[in-house]
Amino acid sequence: MTVEGLTKQFGALTAVDGIDMSIRRGQVHGFLGPNGSGKTTAIRMMCGLMQASRGNISVLGMPVPEQAAIVRRHVGYMTQRFSLYEDMTVRENMRFLCQVHGMKRQRRRERISEVLEQFNLEPLTHQRVGPMSGGQKRRIALAAAVLTQPELLILDEPTSEVDPNTRREMWEHFFNLAQQGTTLLVSTHLMDEAERCHHLTIMNQGRIVADGAVMALKQSLPNQVLEVKGGEVTPMVPVLAALDSVSHVSQVGIALRVLSTKNSARHDILEVLPSGMSVEPVAASIEDVFVQATSEGRRA
Ligand SMILES: Nc1ncnc2c1ncn2[C@@H]1O[C@H](COP(=O)(O)OP(=O)(O)OP(=O)(O)O)[C@@H](O)[C@H]1O
């Protein structure tokens, strides 16, 4: 899938501001950004569910919105809000979806059985979706999104409300699907999930502020990452944040993680640290990349 110059304006607000994106087949492509940065709006345009103000979209080689109807047959989309019918059972929901996609009866039976087994949903087959937990609904929504064996699967925050074990299971499913050739675009706010992706695009205020393979993004971080530990670190947060050479400080357990673009930072920190505390350079994480890439908007 490729998008060029994709833009969406809601009156005076430019929610998506001329983004270029390219997603390779068989990859798990993470889509990150603070709340309101434009991810869902971009996704909705890619699926042909919302008209772009400007720009070109090509999904599986077909232009959108011109061929959106055909494209949608090959794309699975799991929205943030559940698109399941609450009064129907799991099986009834699946049967309905297959019918909408014009799947023949025999094929429909096969696919529903396969998917129910694949996602361990057999015990829930005949239960109504309404009273189920948020996590169960997410699992069912994912199963529903892959019923038609889409070539491209777009998942908008698929693991919110999901417990850690189910989350792990869902990610196993994502990689199995990618292994079989499905392309996945996954929006998430969870940094451990972002670390798992092959490729990441980070948005801020409607623009792409970082894009690349996970390792490459970490290596290209202009900031050095320093870790401060060895005592009462909490009172040191405002002290370090006030230093000119420090751009960001956050506490992680018993340590502080400090971002800086200046070489003098380690020296400056040592000058204000009480004795017994240390400051050492550490490897960058995707959270560091995210904080650096999206900090401009917060400062503004
Ligand atoms: N239909 C709409 N009409 C007007 N403004 C909208 C509409 N849809 C989204 N917006 C605005 O566009 C901006 C981007 O919203 P969007 O939902 O795309 O962000 P997001 O990155 O998906 O956020 P989140 O992480 O919270 O889901 C926000 O300021 C939002 O209020």
Side-chain angles (χ1 to χ4, degrees):
M1 175 170 75
T2 55
V3 304
E4 288 169 353
L6 188 62
T7 301
K8 181 69 190 182
Q9 271 166 297
F10 295 113
L13 173 77
T14 308
V16 176
D17 193 359
I19 65 168
D20 297 332
M21 240 172 117
S22 173
I23 303 180
R24 297 226 319 264
R25 197 171 278 258
Q27 290 232 312
V28 179
H29 191 118
F31 203 19
L32 273 62
N35 293 128
S37 54
K39 304 177 298 291
T40 302
T41 304
I43 285 174
R44 289 178 66 78
M45 290 190 283
M46 292 169 195
C47 295
L49 296 170
M50 181 184 274
Q51 201 172 353
S53 305
R54 278 186 299 284
N56 300 314
I57 307 171
S58 169
V59 179
L60 306 168
M62 291 174 271
V64 172
E66 293 82 353
Q67 298 199 33
I70 304 172
V71 164
R72 274 201 290 272
R73 277 188 232 149
H74 301 274
V75 175
Y77 176 33
M78 180 174 160
T79 59
Q80 274 183 34
R81 281 184 301 155
F82 305 116
S83 44
L84 301 164
Y85 288 95
E86 304 248 313
D87 286 338
M88 290 193 200
T89 66
V90 174
R91 180 177 277 280
E92 284 165 351
N93 264 287
M94 303 234 165
R95 196 189 303 138
F96 176 73
L97 271 167
C98 289
Q99 281 167 343
V100 168
H101 278 86
M103 215 183 271
K104 296 265 179 341
R105 198 172 180 173
Q106 180 60 26
R107 178 85 191 112
R108 196 165 75 204
R109 285 199 177 139
E110 282 168 15
R111 265 315 278 160
I112 292 175
S113 299
E114 279 168 17
V115 162
L116 290 174
E117 192 194 336
Q118 191 183 355
F119 290 86
N120 295 323
L121 290 171
E122 282 145 326
L124 304 177
T125 307
H126 300 293
Q127 290 184 29
R128 275 194 314 118
V129 168
M132 288 182 186
S133 72
Q136 285 172 322
K137 286 180 186 172
R138 293 263 163 208
R139 216 145 46 92
I140 297 162
L142 175 62
V146 303
L147 258 182
T148 54
Q149 297 180 299
E151 288 171 61
L152 172 66
L153 194 53
I154 299 182
L155 308 169
D156 202 354
E157 293 179 35
T159 61
S160 57
E161 296 182 88
V162 164
D163 69 54
N165 288 334
T166 309
R167 207 148 72 78
R168 206 172 258 246
E169 254 175 51
M170 285 176 84
W171 274 86
E172 273 170 32
H173 287 306
F174 299 166
F175 281 109
N176 286 338
L177 288 161
Q179 179 78 36
Q180 290 155 24
T182 309
T183 307
L184 287 94
L185 177 64
V186 185
S187 85
T188 179
H189 287 294
L190 302 170
M191 293 300 131
D192 65 316
E193 294 194 344
E195 295 266 1
R196 295 175 188 227
C197 296
H198 296 119
H199 194 105
L200 291 177
T201 298
I202 304 179
M203 282 188 77
N204 193 31
Q205 298 183 327
R207 299 212 174 113
I208 291 177
V209 287
D211 183 85
V214 170
M215 191 55 81
L217 283 176
K218 288 186 198 175
Q219 283 166 353
S220 67
L221 190 71
N223 296 58
Q224 53 172 324
V225 186
L226 300 165
E227 192 177 68
V228 173
K229 59 183 179 185
E232 279 291 325
V233 291
T234 311
M236 292 310 295
V237 174
V239 178
L240 301 188
L243 295 174
D244 281 345
S245 52
V246 167
S247 49
H248 193 269
V249 187
S250 62
Q251 183 164 357
V252 182
I254 56 164
L256 298 182
R257 223 169 158 84
V258 181
L259 296 187
S260 169
T261 45
K262 305 228 169 71
N263 289 333
S264 63
R266 187 159 179 266
H267 175 261
D268 297 346
I269 292 170
L270 273 172
E271 286 212 321
V272 296
L273 277 191
S275 63
M277 288 179 83
S278 64
V279 52
E280 297 298 336
V282 290
S285 66
I286 280 300
E287 184 163 334
D288 298 323
V289 174
F290 182 89
V291 167
Q292 194 272 330
T294 59
S295 59
E296 209 166 282
R298 281 205 315 277
R299 278 203 296 274

